[in-house]
Amino acid sequence: METIIFVDGSNLYHSIQETGFKPNYINYHKLFEKISNETNPTVRFYITALTKSFSEKERASQQSFFSILKKNPNLSIHFGKLQKTRISNHQKKQVINSLGFCKKCIYKAKTLLDSFSTANFKEKGVDVRIAVDLVTLKNFERAILISGDTDLVPAVEIASKNKRIINAYFDLTSGKQLRDVCTGTFRITRELLKNCLNYRTHR
């Protein structure tokens, strides 16, 4: 049976962090083999590359993460984009007016909102690329979807008509709607991650 693992990279990365491990310490080759129960499974990894808006340290850390991923012989990385989001001046005014600040506090409130509106980024296109590939790719019979994003539910509903779709999920970042429409589920536990630590890196 031909299997492809579709990975929502941001979901995987942050879920590993939430579980208490450092993503760069995980042996992903071993992890993907355990999840799929196959040797050298095909993996399509979807993520956004950090831009120059992020610090050099953050970008270097992500490049190190990519280098670890590329040790998987059958893994390909597919990039989305990061879009900066801001609170408009009109939205700021609405928030301040709705909270009924006194004149002395308005300036402080505006300063606080300004600080929130300068550093927010949102992934764009990752879930769309996963959805399109799930539906249109023909060279697999079973998909293992590592994601908790319920936006993928419609694509899974279509793809599962003639393929098996397994949702590999973390308890803290799982979407019940996504689990419910999949053919089956696989729970990624802390114990599983512990067994996939790269001890050379960890030390």
Side-chain angles (χ1 to χ4, degrees), residues 129-189:
R129 292 199 68 174
I130 295 174
V132 169
D133 289 349
L134 267 176
V135 172
T136 61
L137 291 179
K138 306 296 183 184
N139 60 330
F140 68 95
E141 298 175 32
R142 180 179 69 148
I144 298 174
L145 177 60
I146 302 179
S147 179
D149 191 346
T150 54
D151 287 344
L152 294 170
V153 166
V156 170
E157 288 176 328
I158 295 171
S160 61
K161 290 179 180 179
N162 51 25
K163 302 179 189 299
R164 291 186 63 211
I165 313 292
I166 310 299
N167 183 207
Y169 68 94
F170 294 80
D171 285 337
L172 294 174
T173 56
S174 174
K176 185 178 183 301
Q177 282 182 291
L178 183 60
R179 297 199 309 271
D180 288 346
V181 298
C182 286
T183 312
T185 58
F186 182 98
R187 182 169 170 256
I188 303 174
T189 64

Side-chain angles (χ1 to χ4, degrees), residues 48-51 53-54 80-87 117-126:
T48 54
L50 298 184
T51 65
S53 298
F54 290 80
K81 294 181 180 179
L82 281 176
Q83 178 175 299
K84 183 177 286 189
T85 58
R86 293 180 179 273
I87 302 174
S117 66
T118 57
N120 293 321
F121 290 86
K122 182 179 180 181
E123 280 192 331
K124 186 175 182 181
V126 168

